[in-house]
Amino acid sequence: MADLTRETGVPVPTIKYYLREGLLPPGRPIGRNQAEYSQAHVRRLRLVRALVAYGGLSIAVIRDLVRHLDDPDVSGGDLLGAAQLTVTARHDPPPGPGRDRAERIIDDFMARHGWHDLERHPSRQTMIGLVTSLTELGREDMLDVLDDYAVAAEQIAEADLRIVGELRDRERVLEIVVLGTQLGDTIITSLRRLAQAHVAQRIHGPSPSGQSPSGSSPSGPAPCGPFPSAGTWSG
Amino acid sequence: MADLTRETGVPVPTIKYYLREGLLPPGRPIGRNQAEYSQAHVRRLRLVRALVAYGGLSIAVIRDLVRHLDDPDVSGGDLLGAAQLTVTARHDPPPGPGRDRAERIIDDFMARHGWHDLERHPSRQTMIGLVTSLTELGREDMLDVLDDYAVAAEQIAEADLRIVGELRDRERVLEIVVLGTQLGDTIITSLRRLAQAHVAQRIHGPSPSGQSPSGSSPSGPAPCGPFPSAGTWSG
């Protein structure tokens, strides 16, 4: 077990916890209180640590995923679907006329983009809730972005599925889907911010200081307030 | 004030709280304990409620934004930048060789996409942190998606800036930037999930049931576990 710690940096008590919780299979017994661990253990331990640290998943959810990973009756495609669902929140909008209208808007939208057979996908419910909110806020004009967003989302998904690649290496599928979805969401929203700043500079002029909003140095402290100093975004 | 409540649905105690906190300008006094409120108040109240409910912003941040909104010395472009920064988290990665390498990767990447003058944008730091994490997890292969993501992010940003439109209507700029960034992030990540399911169906075959993963009906309860029933994602 000391070797496992040396190779992965995961402390022994944490490894023992993962063993007790069934996230890591037991080692091969080689004597009293001694067990041998293989490279497969090292790999599984790295995966579990990554799912805990970056997947935002509970131990129970990771245990279920790992069980699927080791179950030969679960196909690679099923594993992919299961992993995607664990990182998909579901927000059901309350029923009402606003929701019925939003449901029609989303169904038209999905049909327009050829996204079929997804009537029961949890993200369809989330979209209906978001559209309900926007229309109730009187901001139906913001729905004009949806078609552009859908085209961009499909390009993102193509890249995602290309990275998952062949479904044969099951641990890789699980790790990439969970990390790629959670870290990937943050990557996409960060790139969106950068691209917004880039496009805004192009439209409304470059910042005179040649720097972007925050006045602090890259390695310095975070800015105290949420606002750029005057003039850093000329409009 | 009863009229304000009738028009917006915001309860009187909440309106009083917003007045005290300076989120809503006082009405025109028309007698003892009486004030007249205009359509501008109705609009501002709707904006504040939306920023509280959907922007995830603190009262202090909204007060600063509203102050900028009413300050004629703050240009439309500055307001846009300020609003974008309030909804941009900053995560500084710890220094180290991994970070230095990630910094070079991100700078090459941004130069490749012509994203200049963004050295101090908080999202550049977040990206460096994410790349550091991925390389430390041994998942550098996942960086292959970055260029496709950047192209998609720029399309999203073009749509975002188009919706903001002219910077003359300042309340609209503020509302759309804050709502469009916060709700927009959730829209984009939900569309990404749907598009992943759509592309996965295309590559790995449609689900035999003609339905997507969750077995519950659209208006039914959320699924109990994170997993689809066996076979709903054929692979």
Side-chain angles (χ1 to χ4, degrees):
Chain A
M1 198 175 286
D3 292 344
L4 270 185
T5 294
R6 200 162 35 244
E7 278 220 52
T8 62
V10 179
V12 168
T14 305
I15 296 176
K16 286 185 174 164
Y17 173 69
Y18 290 164
L19 283 166
R20 277 198 311 276
E21 292 290 332
L23 306 183
L24 199 65
R28 199 168 60 86
I30 51 166
R32 286 182 302 198
N33 288 325
Q34 280 247 307
E36 198 177 58
Y37 297 93
S38 63
Q39 275 306 309
H41 282 92
V42 172
R43 207 173 164 210
R44 176 64 55 91
L45 188 53
R46 287 211 171 109
L47 171 65
V48 168
R49 188 185 45 174
L51 299 186
V52 169
Y54 295 98
L57 302 181
S58 70
I59 295 295
V61 167
I62 296 176
R63 183 169 40 221
D64 280 345
L65 280 176
V66 161
R67 204 174 286 150
H68 276 52
L69 191 63
D70 295 330
D71 181 350
D73 287 343
V74 175
S75 73
D78 282 342
L79 186 66
L80 176 64
Q84 281 175 335
L85 278 186
T86 58
V87 284
T88 301
R90 181 196 175 95
H91 304 287
D92 278 333
R99 198 193 89 143
D100 294 345
R101 222 178 132 257
E103 198 162 334
R104 282 195 301 276
I105 290 173
I106 288 302
D107 286 342
D108 288 351
F109 159 78
M110 286 175 64
R112 200 156 62 236
H113 291 276
W115 294 1
H116 300 301
D117 300 327
L118 296 167
E119 291 80 9
R120 296 187 175 180
H121 195 288
S123 294
R124 175 177 165 274
Q125 294 302 313
T126 304
M127 284 302 300
I128 291 169
L130 290 162
V131 169
T132 307
S133 302
L134 282 176
T135 50
E136 281 174 3
L137 290 166
R139 284 263 73 100
E140 213 157 321
D141 53 347
M142 288 172 68
L143 299 180
D144 289 353
V145 297
L146 282 187
D147 288 310
D148 286 324
Y149 279 13
V151 173
E154 206 162 324
Q155 289 171 359
I156 288 168
E158 299 269 0
D160 290 337
L161 270 284
R162 203 161 51 235
I163 281 290
V164 169
E166 287 299 311
L167 295 176
R168 263 181 285 277
D169 185 346
R170 296 163 67 95
E171 297 212 320
R172 187 171 180 276
V173 167
L174 186 56
E175 188 175 352
I176 287 193
V177 169
V178 176
L179 290 184
T181 307
Q182 298 283 47
L183 292 185
D185 282 351
T186 314
I187 290 174
I188 290 162
T189 55
S190 299
L191 293 180
R192 182 182 177 214
R193 303 283 190 287
L194 287 168
Q196 283 174 339
H198 169 66
V199 175
Q201 278 178 0
R202 210 186 57 213
I203 297 176
H204 302 296
S207 63
S209 67
Q211 293 295 352
S212 80
S214 154
S216 69
S217 75
S219 56
C224 302
F227 301 113
S229 55
T232 48
W233 291 70
S234 62
Chain B
M1 197 174 287
D3 293 343
L4 270 185
T5 294
R6 201 163 34 243
E7 278 221 52
T8 62
V10 180
V12 168
T14 306
I15 296 176
K16 286 185 173 164
Y17 173 69
Y18 290 165
L19 283 166
R20 276 199 311 277
E21 292 289 332
L23 305 184
L24 199 65
R28 199 169 60 87
I30 52 166
R32 282 182 305 198
N33 287 326
Q34 279 247 308
E36 199 177 59
Y37 297 94
S38 63
Q39 275 306 308
H41 283 92
V42 172
R43 205 172 167 215
R44 176 63 57 90
L45 188 52
R46 287 210 172 107
L47 171 65
V48 168
R49 188 184 46 174
L51 298 186
V52 170
Y54 295 98
L57 301 181
S58 70
I59 295 294
V61 168
I62 295 176
R63 183 168 40 220
D64 281 344
L65 280 177
V66 161
R67 206 174 284 153
H68 276 52
L69 191 63
D70 295 329
D71 181 350
D73 287 342
V74 175
S75 73
D78 283 341
L79 187 66
L80 175 64
Q84 282 176 334
L85 278 187
T86 59
V87 283
T88 301
R90 181 196 174 96
H91 304 287
D92 278 333
R99 198 192 91 141
D100 294 345
R101 220 177 136 258
E103 199 162 334
R104 281 195 301 276
I105 290 173
I106 287 302
D107 287 342
D108 287 351
F109 159 78
M110 288 176 64
R112 199 156 62 235
H113 291 276
W115 293 1
H116 301 300
D117 300 326
L118 297 168
E119 292 80 7
R120 295 187 176 180
H121 195 288
S123 294
R124 174 176 166 275
Q125 294 302 314
T126 305
M127 283 302 300
I128 292 170
L130 289 161
V131 169
T132 307
S133 301
L134 283 176
T135 50
E136 281 173 3
L137 289 166
R139 283 264 74 100
E140 213 156 321
D141 53 349
M142 289 172 67
L143 299 179
D144 289 353
V145 296
L146 283 187
D147 288 309
D148 286 325
Y149 279 14
V151 172
E154 206 161 324
Q155 289 171 359
I156 288 168
E158 299 269 1
D160 289 337
L161 271 283
R162 202 161 54 236
I163 281 289
V164 170
E166 287 299 309
L167 296 176
R168 265 182 284 276
D169 185 345
R170 298 163 66 96
E171 296 211 321
R172 188 171 180 276
V173 167
L174 186 55
E175 188 175 351
I176 288 194
V177 169
V178 176
L179 290 184
T181 306
Q182 299 284 44
L183 293 185
D185 282 351
T186 315
I187 290 174
I188 290 162
T189 55
S190 299
L191 293 180
R192 182 183 178 215
R193 302 284 189 285
L194 287 169
Q196 282 175 339
H198 168 65
V199 175
Q201 277 179 0
R202 209 186 56 214
I203 297 176
H204 303 296
S207 63
S209 68
Q211 293 294 353
S212 80
S214 155
S216 69
S217 76
S219 56
C224 302
F227 302 112
S229 55
T232 48
W233 292 71
S234 62

